[in-house]
Amino acid sequence: MCGIVGFVGKDNAVHKLIHGLKTLEYRGYDSAGVALLQDNDITVVKDKGRIANLENILNYEELTGTIGIAHTRWATHGIPSKDNAHPHMDPHHHFAVVHNGILENYLELKDFLLSKGYSFVSETDSEVIPILMEYYYEQEKDVLKAFKKTLKDLRGSYAILVISPLLPNTILVAKKNSPLVIGKGKDGIYAASDIPAIISYTKDFYFLEDGESAVIDDEIHFYDSEFKEIHKDSKTIHWDMSAIDKNGFPDYMLKEIHEQPDALKNSLNGLDHPVGFLNFSLDKKYLESIREIYIVACGTAMHAGLVGRYAIEQICRIPTRVEVASEFRYQNPIVDEHTLCIFISQSGETADTIAALKLAKKLGAKTLTITNVFESSITREADYTIYTHAGPEIAVASTKAYISQVGMMVALAIYIAELLGKNQSEVAQIKKELLELPSLMKQVIDKNQEYLKIAKKMVSVQDLFYIGRGNDYHVAMEGSLKLKEISYIHSEAYQAGELKHGPIALIEDGTFVFGIITDPKLSEKTLSNLEEVKSRGANVVLVTNEDIKEDIVIPIPKTNTLLSPILAIIPLQFVAYFIAKEKGLDVDKPRNLAKSVTVE
Ligand code: G6P
């Protein structure tokens, strides 16, 4: 889940590389480095810490090279440190390498190289790559042959960029199970793990498939997994990069919370025209043949899946289950051609979700992905893609992408129900209410100063609880995750009725418990559970669309129960945000996390 970027051209490379790294920082931010080819040698500058720290130690006047590679790291093998930071080199400084992914056989390769007399300076898996290249180079005296032999030896996932004074004016590129794009600009050729890193320099992109590699000099030469030269067409991508400005907000997260009504509106654009809205059509006969739907995702996307399941089961009456992507493959899932598998991923790059999709496809299921990132890896694997159109989401903690994912899941449920002719009047009503949501969301957002007052009461608590039933429980889960991610306060989400089977033992005088009540059928029951915690000393904060008396109430507008998560989550996002800000934390880049998780 590290970010990588490279440049070959006539201009000074270091500024472009640092610019690229900054846009990739959401992929990881515990150490960073650059390597440049200059004076027939490789110059490496790297350190622990964020890119701002790297910038402070760069001597721009001395870094004149026009070919270079760079990396921002999210540690997997080895602590964040200068030695473990990329780029890595072989002892003769013939090769500098940046790598995103995990080499599963690195210990085997390392032992082999140690037995050949090579030494290592880092604890990383990635360092075997330059050293293996050097080993093969000494035998072959040919850089390209050494590169090919090295790639053949690697097992696991990788996106790799290599520079070498033995092959001046060139970057070697390879990809397997980690994202990589190449862009042709006016001033040179770029390679990066994500489009945003290089979109300000080019709109023309080439996408490598797994097992492919490329040699970039004045031109780009592409090779298949057998190293046969292949032709690739470029794709033109138009992105509105103004969307990645903070627009006067202190953080991306706050900006993205405010953007949620527009994100949902954009997602639902065309809902009245199913085929236009989905950009593909599912066959009625096929839908009738489905016995079960699986929704597979990680983190916040999985929480959106839970709300989606609720909608599909309620209005389409098709049995639906939600699985965490990292577990899906190990459950011997009962999936075949009568299963529709839906994979939700904001980034479209989450390794576990993509691996689960590949398995579902192998088992014969049709696969549909809901993602926010155009041309992301998952879109190239899935049979069908629905884009959420939430716009770029930069803050690590997902907000507007979640809202859009939920909106799309409900819209998909509506689409399936319409096609199957199920619950027509109810479906028409839900559709109407779904389209009304953006203006109701604005009303919830406008009350954010009320949420600040509530957050201030919780800044120094150790634990927080979130409870609800039905769809309200799904909101509890997402609210609790937001809090953990950015405020580092321990929290638990529980089905309100399940609390008394254990976790209630943790409730003591002054413990804050968020209750979420938006389903009139369930309100009395959840209220009883809130009474149970109150009588054990808890302070209750109630998020509700009903007229209920409680010490602290966050009122939200009424809507259909299938849609209420879209309104109920907003105050909880704000509370998490305000607590984190009050604690002086970096809300956009919380510790230990990364936005795009490309390792399993
Ligand atoms: C990471 C992010 C989460 C996100 C999850 C799934 O853990 O920090 O915010 O929900 O990955 O990401 P995806 O891109 O697949 O939605």
Side-chain angles (χ1 to χ4, degrees):
M1 33 220 267
C2 311
I4 62 176
V5 58
F7 174 71
V8 190
K10 305 264 175 281
D11 288 0
N12 183 306
V14 70
H15 294 285
K16 297 173 189 294
L17 296 176
I18 293 295
H19 168 85
L21 283 189
K22 281 184 179 164
T23 68
L24 289 177
E25 211 172 9
Y26 61 83
R27 296 186 68 96
Y29 34 83
D30 60 43
S31 44
V34 293
L36 296 163
L37 271 186
Q38 44 188 43
D39 306 327
N40 218 18
D41 202 356
I42 300 174
T43 303
V44 170
V45 186
K46 60 184 185 177
D47 207 350
K48 183 181 164 182
R50 295 193 172 180
I51 290 151
N53 184 47
L54 175 68
E55 275 190 291
N56 286 338
I57 58 168
L58 290 176
N59 184 342
Y60 283 100
E61 278 171 19
E62 287 176 6
L63 299 172
T64 52
T66 65
I67 292 150
I69 55 178
H71 187 272
T72 179
R73 181 169 186 248
W74 186 86
T76 56
H77 297 65
I79 57 163
S81 69
K82 183 173 176 180
D83 281 343
N84 289 336
H86 298 221
H88 292 290
M89 288 202 281
D90 65 291
H92 296 127
H93 294 191
H94 281 155
F95 303 102
V97 173
V98 290
H99 165 226
N100 170 33
I102 289 186
L103 300 179
E104 285 161 7
N105 60 338
Y106 85 102
L107 283 175
E108 197 184 300
L109 295 171
K110 193 166 177 173
D111 283 348
F112 170 75
L113 292 165
L114 286 168
S115 76
K116 297 289 172 195
Y118 290 97
S119 57
F120 287 74
V121 292
S122 82
E123 301 156 292
T124 65
D125 52 339
S126 312
E127 196 184 0
V128 300
I129 302 170
I131 300 181
L132 204 54
M133 282 202 63
E134 173 62 13
Y135 167 73
Y136 284 125
Y137 178 72
E138 279 174 12
Q139 294 178 350
E140 303 279 349
K141 298 293 174 221
D142 180 317
V143 174
L144 289 182
K145 279 191 184 154
F147 184 52
K148 289 173 193 170
K149 286 201 156 176
T150 300
L151 294 182
K152 286 268 178 221
D153 283 352
L154 304 181
R155 229 175 42 232
S157 58
Y158 54 78
I160 302 169
L161 306 179
V162 187
I163 53 170
S164 168
L166 303 167
L167 206 62
N169 307 321
T170 305
I171 293 184
L172 305 177
V173 177
K175 167 196 155 48
K176 192 173 162 212
N177 296 331
S178 286
L180 196 100
V181 295
I182 296 176
K184 207 168 186 175
K186 285 199 187 82
D187 48 0
I189 299 172
Y190 299 80
S193 42
D194 285 277
I195 295 169
I198 53 181
I199 187 101
S200 44
Y201 303 115
T202 175
K203 303 275 174 271
D204 295 322
F205 290 91
Y206 298 89
F207 295 90
L208 291 198
E209 301 300 331
D210 286 340
E212 291 180 350
S213 55
V215 176
I216 307 176
D217 41 39
D218 294 341
E219 293 293 319
I220 315 167
H221 309 273
F222 296 102
Y223 299 91
D224 69 8
S225 55
E226 296 307 315
F227 300 103
K228 271 206 232 93
E229 190 152 1
I230 51 172
H231 171 79
K232 268 187 186 288
D233 289 322
S234 66
K235 290 190 180 173
T236 306
I237 293 195
H238 298 284
W239 273 8
D240 175 11
M241 289 319 280
S242 64
I244 63 170
D245 284 343
K246 283 190 191 149
N247 278 345
F249 285 95
D251 326 274
Y252 282 112
M253 184 174 174
L254 190 62
K255 172 188 170 243
E256 289 160 5
I257 291 174
H258 279 87
E259 284 173 347
Q260 295 185 113
D262 286 338
L264 183 65
K265 212 189 248 163
N266 291 339
S267 301
L268 299 177
N269 194 12
L271 182 59
D272 282 333
H273 309 282
V275 174
F277 151 72
L278 287 179
N279 78 37
F280 60 82
S281 56
L282 287 172
D283 178 57
K284 186 175 176 205
K285 263 212 179 100
Y286 163 68
L287 285 175
E288 281 168 347
S289 75
I290 291 175
R291 276 199 296 263
E292 190 171 35
I293 295 178
Y294 265 86
I295 301 172
V296 184
C298 300
T300 290
M302 191 275 288
H303 294 162
L306 291 169
V307 182
R309 177 194 64 191
Y310 211 66
I312 293 174
E313 291 203 327
Q314 297 305 309
I315 60 178
C316 307
R317 305 306 289 161
I318 300 175
T320 303
R321 53 165 91 185
V322 178
E323 298 290 344
V324 168
S326 55
E327 291 291 320
F328 178 77
R329 275 176 299 157
Y330 313 114
Q331 295 174 348
N332 195 5
I334 307 167
V335 166
D336 58 20
E337 68 275 20
H338 299 295
T339 324
L340 169 64
C341 291
I342 302 172
F343 299 84
I344 310 177
S345 174
Q346 186 286 131
S347 61
E349 302 295 348
T350 302
D352 281 315
T353 312
I354 295 175
L357 188 152
K358 286 180 180 168
L359 173 65
K361 233 170 134 176
K362 209 166 120 198
L363 294 172
K366 275 214 192 321
T367 57
L368 186 165
T369 187
I370 297 183
T371 185
N372 195 36
V373 179
F374 188 63
E375 283 291 338
S376 52
S377 302
I378 205 163
T379 66
R380 291 198 297 282
E381 300 288 344
D383 296 318
Y384 307 107
T385 297
I386 302 179
Y387 286 109
T388 41
H389 300 293
E393 189 181 67
I394 310 289
V396 165
S398 181
T399 54
K400 64 175 180 172
Y402 167 79
I403 294 281
S404 291
Q405 288 161 353
V406 170
M408 285 314 225
M409 282 304 307
V410 179
L412 183 64
I414 292 171
Y415 170 76
I416 294 174
E418 280 178 342
L419 220 64
L420 294 178
K422 293 205 177 159
N423 300 312
Q424 292 181 28
S425 60
E426 188 193 350
V427 168
Q429 178 62 22
I430 294 167
K431 191 171 179 175
K432 181 172 161 282
E433 291 188 52
L434 179 56
L435 292 166
E436 284 164 5
L437 276 183
S439 65
L440 299 183
M441 291 165 75
K442 281 193 184 121
Q443 293 173 22
V444 183
I445 290 173
D446 285 347
K447 294 206 183 121
N448 65 73
Q449 290 309 297
E450 298 299 316
Y451 317 143
L452 171 62
K453 286 185 208 150
I454 295 168
K456 280 187 172 167
K457 297 179 201 285
M458 299 171 181
V459 177
S460 52
V461 303
Q462 302 289 315
D463 304 287
L464 259 169
F465 289 82
Y466 295 75
I467 64 170
R469 286 168 182 260
N471 235 355
D472 293 334
Y473 169 58
H474 305 144
V475 176
M477 290 172 81
E478 177 57 11
S480 170
L481 180 64
K482 284 292 87 83
L483 184 85
K484 279 189 258 233
E485 285 180 311
I486 60 169
S487 77
Y488 316 147
I489 292 175
H490 167 255
S491 72
E492 301 269 356
Y494 259 90
Q495 296 96 334
E498 188 65 13
L499 203 67
K500 56 184 157 310
H501 298 294
I504 201 163
L506 299 171
I507 304 292
E508 49 191 30
D509 256 357
T511 308
F512 278 96
V513 178
F514 278 93
I516 300 119
I517 298 183
T518 66
D519 185 343
K521 293 194 299 299
L522 303 173
S523 63
E524 283 182 1
K525 296 242 184 282
T526 305
L527 273 175
S528 304
N529 303 131
L530 289 173
E531 286 304 321
E532 289 158 13
V533 294
K534 262 165 54 183
S535 55
R536 284 158 182 84
N539 298 319
V540 166
V541 182
L542 183 62
V543 179
T544 187
N545 56 15
E546 293 189 33
D547 189 14
I548 302 175
K549 296 266 169 298
E550 206 41 83
D551 288 345
I552 311 176
V553 178
I554 299 179
I556 56 170
K558 276 202 189 308
T559 185
N560 189 290
T561 311
L562 298 185
L563 306 173
S564 57
I566 290 179
L567 299 177
I569 192 59
I570 296 171
L572 301 182
Q573 294 169 337
F574 272 113
V575 167
Y577 171 83
F578 286 133
I579 294 177
K581 286 298 275 188
E582 289 289 316
K583 289 178 80 173
L585 300 172
D586 182 342
V587 289
D588 285 341
K589 297 193 191 87
R591 71 181 181 202
N592 303 342
L593 302 182
K595 186 149 192 77
S596 190
V597 181
T598 52
V599 294
E600 287 175 28

